[in-house]
Amino acid sequence: MSYPLYVAFIWHQHQPLYKSYLDGEYRLPWVRLHGTKDYLDLVLLLEQFPRLHQTVNLVPSLLLQIEDYVAGTAFDPYLSAALTPTEALQIGQKQFIVEHFFDAHHRTMIDPHPRYAELYEQQQHNGKAWCLEHWSLQDYSDLLAWHNLAWFDPLFWQDAEIACWLEQGKNFTLSDRQRIYSKQREILSRIIPQHRRMQENGQLEVTTTPYTHPILPLLADTNAGRVAVPQMTLPTQRFQWPEDIPRHLRKAKHLYRNWFGCNPKGLWPSEQSVSPAILPDIAEQGFQWICSDEAVLGWTLQHFFHRDAMGTVMEPELLYRPYRLETPHGDLAIVFRDHRISDLIGFTYGNMPPRQAAIDLVGQLEAISRTLKSRQSGGVALDRPWLVTIALDGENCWEYYTLDGKPFLESLYQILSEHPSIQLVTVSEYLDKFPPTETLPSHQLHSGSWVDGSFTTWIGDPVKNRAWDLLTEARKTLDACPEATEENNPEAWEALYAAEGSDWFWWFGAGHSSNQDAMFDQLFREHLMTLYRALNKPVPDSVRRPVDDRIIPADCRPSGFIHPVIDGQADPQDWDRAGRIEVGGSRGTMHQSTAIQRLWYGVDHLNLYLRVDFKTGAKPGVSLPSELHLFWFYPDRPVAISPIPLENLPNTAPLNYSYHHHLGINLMTQSAWLQEAVESNQWHSRMTRANVAFGDCLEVSIPWADLSTVEPDWSLRLLVILANNGSYQNHVPNDTLIPVDVP
């Protein structure tokens, strides 16, 4: 019997609890704004292609907040400002508006709208103080309108009212802003019914997540952090409350039945985090399947997944199948996502032309099918029903796509609707036809998440650990009040559940940062304050103080993929997730003199990116050497290497190392040349598609395809040298190399 390649898309829709129980106000607007841009349109687009089936995960904390906005009982500071007459705006509100009403990816959500872009340019080029001094009340009114208009998904632009506002462009009134808010609520009101309708007709499967999106393995025992990282520094106090797990699961299941009229079959464990300890509770609550990441499967099988030069898994029969997990309360199925393909959608395809990206994704699936066929006994069709799981965040990535991903998804869905050998399925309909035949011993399941198969994103950092200690103290206080049950003191328990959510720990400490870091810190502590007050207990001083001291290290590793436009303009949004190395003035008097002040570096699946900030006014050939050279070192890789081909080179590390790739850049002409080491310490020229721009800074992108010997998941080290006409001047970093991980 022959089979198509089955593909299960799982879109994860989530927002943490932004509502503070201290005063009932929402602190941040992301449920409302993402609700008008990312939840309804995703399934409306799918509905146009009835042959395609998908799975959408809707987190209870998200849906509860959507219901609040639909009911008109949810207000956040952004919404309150938008509904305030401009003549009544206080100076504090104006400062807030100038600071936060451009919180969007400007290239896709601000720049396409001339009036919004005009105001953004004034804020960027003239400064916030200038705006406060010079903006008219009409400027504020237009900004208040556009901050909301820009979040309407392009799928809704044909709506008569929205089309009228977009054409109007400026001179918005309070009445306009009120009607924009009404349109937001109208769109939000359609989200749950649309998902229910599509699930009932079989095109969609809706799954759920533990109530407030907690990391279940860490609720069971924070020592789970040491499974992947044995030397992890844990919080001072051990959090060990496994009884909270069934509480989160029961609440999620109960709410799901209210919204969708049936029991959920699938569970998306928060952050795809799993461990043996959580499986019995999940099975006991009646869930039939869960999902996690290929890294968790790799750790479980003690197997590292290899990929070929195109990124295709070389052991596909291990990844592209469901597994059975046996528990005392029945069996669970588990599927593991293809991490790379999921990341391509989440972080890379938005930087490509939409149709090209769609074709590339289909090509990735076709490559998997070819690899599977090559490993079977014969035949031109698949002889087994393999399942490729693609699972990712369903909201945040679209902000970086042209027209919020609409052209990409339309192209992708059109191709897949007509594809003869790829079939999109929900996870449950696949499992109903093809139950798992391979068992993973439950006790061997790795304890980890979708981030490197570990929990380091949520625990182990000093700041994250402080937050866990605060949570542990609050949980002990609640436990010491047995009279405070969920029935007679729901406020205390709801505050606990909110504080147990994963998002606060994500933003604490190193690794992630945003324009709302301080607010996430405040929200976490407000949930704890609510718990203490509900128990009539004094709020500890430690809960009143910020968890994070807000000190940002001078140097940092990349916190995510980046997609900068190479124009030499140093756009802050382009490099906000990049790694950074401070050079000039940050290393003390022993650091060598150099015109370079700062290095930025990062990657996506297409390119390696580098940005070099020079001293103000530095000019190539005058106050700055005329050339910049990049050298790639591949530790523990069997590649040809050659010495650095520059004159007057000191015989010191790392200058006396040998390297495999060399990109030279003429800073005066912005031309580039690429060399690759070959045998006998020689360098041979290679074609390069490196993109170079020198303006406010130097920005460079080097396609991974140029570095032809590099394979996925390799690590490399990078050295930057300044030279004049082939003669060494200086290098950075001074005594080490820049570490880069190939995606």
Side-chain angles (χ1 to χ4, degrees):
M1 185 174 180
S2 62
Y3 299 91
L5 180 68
Y6 292 102
V7 178
F9 279 89
I10 311 175
W11 302 104
H12 175 56
Q13 312 287 32
H14 164 59
Q15 294 293 333
L17 282 168
Y18 296 119
K19 184 178 183 178
S20 171
Y21 294 107
L22 293 181
D23 58 13
E25 182 171 293
Y26 282 70
R27 299 293 187 230
L28 292 167
W30 306 124
V31 168
R32 177 172 55 86
L33 296 180
H34 280 290
T36 59
K37 190 175 78 67
D38 296 311
Y39 305 136
L40 181 60
D41 64 291
L42 188 73
V43 292
L44 288 177
L45 277 173
L46 180 68
E47 193 175 36
Q48 299 173 22
F49 301 88
R51 181 174 176 265
L52 307 182
H53 294 186
Q54 290 184 357
T55 302
V56 175
N57 185 67
L58 297 174
V59 178
S61 59
L62 167 65
L63 297 188
L64 285 171
Q65 293 176 98
I66 287 175
E67 287 189 320
D68 262 5
Y69 276 107
V70 171
T73 55
F75 286 90
D76 57 74
Y78 298 74
L79 177 58
S80 297
L83 298 180
T84 299
T86 51
E87 60 272 15
L89 290 173
Q90 303 298 311
I91 184 61
Q93 283 182 296
K94 290 182 178 180
Q95 291 171 335
F96 178 79
I97 293 167
V98 172
E99 173 73 25
H100 290 288
F101 273 54
F102 299 106
D103 287 348
H105 185 57
H106 76 85
R107 297 192 189 279
T108 56
M109 296 184 64
I110 296 177
D111 294 354
H113 307 297
R115 177 59 170 151
Y116 201 7
E118 175 189 6
L119 295 168
Y120 177 72
E121 288 299 312
Q122 290 177 6
Q123 190 244 38
Q124 289 291 298
H125 291 144
N126 299 326
K128 298 166 188 174
W130 182 93
C131 297
L132 290 169
E133 183 178 350
H134 291 89
W135 272 0
S136 67
L137 293 181
Q138 188 61 59
D139 290 329
Y140 283 102
S141 185
D142 288 352
L143 179 55
L144 292 169
W146 270 112
H147 178 255
N148 291 282
L149 285 174
W151 285 82
F152 281 120
D153 188 87
L155 192 67
F156 305 132
W157 287 0
Q158 294 181 349
D159 176 278
E161 284 188 291
I162 296 175
C164 181
W165 292 322
L166 294 176
E167 183 178 356
Q168 177 181 335
K170 58 184 177 180
N171 297 323
F172 291 100
T173 65
L174 174 61
S175 176
D176 291 327
R177 304 199 304 272
Q178 292 169 335
R179 287 186 293 118
I180 289 171
Y181 166 56
S182 296
K183 182 62 65 175
Q184 290 176 334
R185 290 175 59 196
E186 176 189 320
I187 292 173
L188 290 168
S189 71
R190 297 168 57 190
I191 293 172
I192 296 176
Q194 180 69 27
H195 282 80
R196 178 168 179 162
R197 185 162 49 250
M198 291 180 67
Q199 176 162 257
E200 290 172 347
N201 69 27
Q203 190 179 6
L204 202 66
E205 176 179 6
V206 180
T207 58
T208 191
T209 290
Y211 181 43
T212 60
H213 206 268
I215 306 291
L216 293 185
L218 296 180
L219 294 191
D221 189 350
T222 46
N223 281 9
R226 283 187 172 159
V227 173
V229 185
Q231 304 305 315
M232 173 182 283
T233 300
L234 291 172
T236 304
Q237 302 188 66
R238 185 176 182 178
F239 191 98
Q240 199 172 14
W241 299 95
E243 57 265 44
D244 288 357
I245 293 175
R247 290 188 172 103
H248 280 277
L249 295 173
R250 284 195 298 265
K251 289 184 74 67
K253 186 176 177 180
H254 173 73
L255 289 167
Y256 184 98
R257 282 198 299 264
N258 290 340
W259 287 318
F260 301 106
C262 60
N263 287 326
K265 294 182 178 180
L267 180 81
W268 176 294
S270 313
E271 310 294 0
Q272 296 188 342
S273 297
V274 295
S275 70
I278 73 173
L279 301 178
D281 285 319
I282 295 173
E284 186 175 20
Q285 292 303 316
F287 292 98
Q288 299 174 22
W289 65 267
I290 59 176
C291 63
S292 193
D293 184 75
E294 73 173 62
V296 172
L297 177 61
W299 282 77
T300 301
L301 299 177
Q302 294 297 295
H303 175 86
F304 179 82
F305 284 101
H306 297 85
R307 294 179 181 268
D308 63 22
M310 299 301 295
T312 306
V313 170
M314 299 172 68
E315 308 90 345
E317 64 279 356
L318 295 179
L319 179 58
Y320 303 125
R321 64 187 308 164
Y323 289 84
R324 180 191 300 111
L325 296 165
E326 297 174 339
T327 84
H329 301 291
D331 292 349
L332 277 173
I334 184 169
V335 297
F336 297 94
R337 71 168 187 159
D338 184 305
H339 190 111
R340 182 174 184 274
I341 294 180
S342 303
D343 274 0
L344 283 171
I345 299 172
F347 303 109
T348 296
Y349 285 149
N351 204 38
M352 297 171 59
R355 181 163 179 79
Q356 179 186 337
I359 291 171
D360 187 88
L361 176 51
V362 175
Q364 300 283 338
L365 297 173
E366 291 171 339
I368 291 170
S369 182
R370 287 193 299 271
T371 303
L372 286 165
K373 291 174 185 176
S374 72
R375 298 168 72 87
Q376 63 189 32
S377 56
V380 296
L382 294 173
D383 61 5
R384 293 187 59 182
W386 302 103
L387 176 69
V388 178
T389 300
I390 302 172
L392 68 150
D393 182 290
E395 55 204 358
N396 292 314
C397 67
W398 306 121
E399 188 173 341
Y400 300 90
Y401 278 70
T402 301
L403 294 175
D404 205 52
K406 182 173 178 286
F408 165 74
L409 288 172
E410 288 175 334
S411 295
L412 177 65
Y413 291 167
Q414 187 63 54
I415 296 170
L416 291 175
S417 285
E418 300 169 356
H419 204 290
S421 55
I422 296 176
Q423 183 176 340
L424 267 60
V425 293
T426 71
V427 176
S428 285
E429 72 178 311
Y430 175 89
L431 293 173
D432 288 344
K433 292 181 181 179
F434 312 110
T437 58
E438 192 79 12
T439 298
L440 289 178
S442 295
H443 69 277
Q444 292 183 14
L445 181 68
H446 176 66
S447 298
S449 74
W450 66 270
V451 184
D452 300 326
S454 75
F455 297 123
T456 55
T457 299
W458 301 275
I459 195 169
D461 174 276
V463 181
K464 300 177 191 293
N465 287 350
R466 281 204 295 274
W468 276 105
D469 284 334
L470 293 177
L471 180 61
T472 303
E473 282 297 324
R475 187 65 182 86
K476 286 181 177 179
T477 302
L478 179 57
D479 189 59
C481 300
E483 72 282 0
T485 66
E486 289 192 76
E487 290 72 28
N488 63 30
N489 198 335
E491 186 179 13
W493 285 92
E494 288 297 318
L496 171 70
Y497 297 143
E500 287 180 334
S502 70
D503 296 82
W504 327 116
F505 301 93
W506 171 284
W507 293 109
F508 285 136
H512 298 97
S513 185
S514 76
N515 203 24
Q516 282 89 27
D517 283 359
M519 182 53 69
F520 277 94
D521 190 322
Q522 177 180 324
L523 262 170
F524 171 71
R525 291 181 293 108
E526 286 185 351
H527 293 319
L528 295 181
M529 290 178 194
T530 300
L531 186 152
Y532 284 106
R533 291 178 180 179
L535 297 174
N536 292 317
K537 300 291 184 181
V539 177
D541 289 341
S542 57
V543 175
R544 299 183 184 278
R545 296 191 298 269
V547 180
D548 201 331
D549 56 17
R550 321 307 308 154
I551 296 176
I552 301 175
D555 293 357
C556 62
R557 294 291 300 272
S559 62
F561 291 114
I562 62 173
H563 320 286
V565 173
I566 306 302
D567 56 10
Q569 298 304 307
D571 189 306
Q573 284 192 349
D574 284 356
W575 298 90
D576 60 354
R577 295 184 179 182
R580 184 179 68 250
I581 297 175
E582 295 290 337
V583 181
S586 65
R587 304 297 186 192
T589 58
M590 295 303 293
H591 191 74
Q592 64 177 351
S593 175
T594 175
I596 296 175
Q597 290 198 314
R598 187 176 300 105
L599 292 176
W600 307 74
Y601 64 99
V603 304
D604 60 17
H605 288 90
L606 302 177
N607 300 291
L608 166 65
Y609 300 99
L610 181 74
R611 169 180 146 193
V612 184
D613 294 348
F614 296 102
K615 291 181 178 178
T616 303
K619 295 183 178 180
V622 183
S623 54
L624 178 67
S626 59
E627 298 168 356
L628 185 135
H629 298 263
L630 307 179
F631 291 91
W632 281 263
F633 178 78
Y634 302 94
D636 304 320
R637 298 294 178 179
V639 294
I641 54 177
S642 295
I644 294 174
L646 296 174
E647 296 180 354
N648 300 320
L649 200 68
N651 186 25
T652 58
L655 299 172
N656 55 8
Y657 293 179
S658 292
Y659 296 83
H660 183 62
H661 284 114
H662 165 218
L663 183 77
I665 300 171
N666 187 318
L667 298 176
M668 301 177 73
T669 64
Q670 300 182 39
S671 59
W673 64 97
L674 180 67
Q675 293 180 309
E676 183 174 299
V678 295
E679 300 301 326
S680 303
N681 292 332
Q682 298 296 307
W683 291 96
H684 278 193
S685 295
R686 295 284 185 260
M687 290 293 295
T688 180
R689 288 168 291 176
N691 191 4
V692 178
F694 192 4
D696 297 336
C697 65
L698 174 71
E699 294 181 323
V700 186
S701 66
I702 305 101
W704 293 116
D706 279 11
L707 311 177
S708 55
T709 54
V710 177
E711 296 182 10
D713 298 316
W714 277 25
S715 292
L716 59 87
R717 302 291 183 267
L718 189 64
L719 176 67
V720 180
I721 294 179
L722 289 174
N724 264 326
N725 301 317
S727 178
Y728 168 86
Q729 297 295 306
N730 50 53
H731 70 280
V732 291
N734 190 31
D735 52 5
T736 185
L737 298 172
I738 303 171
V740 178
D741 294 322
V742 182

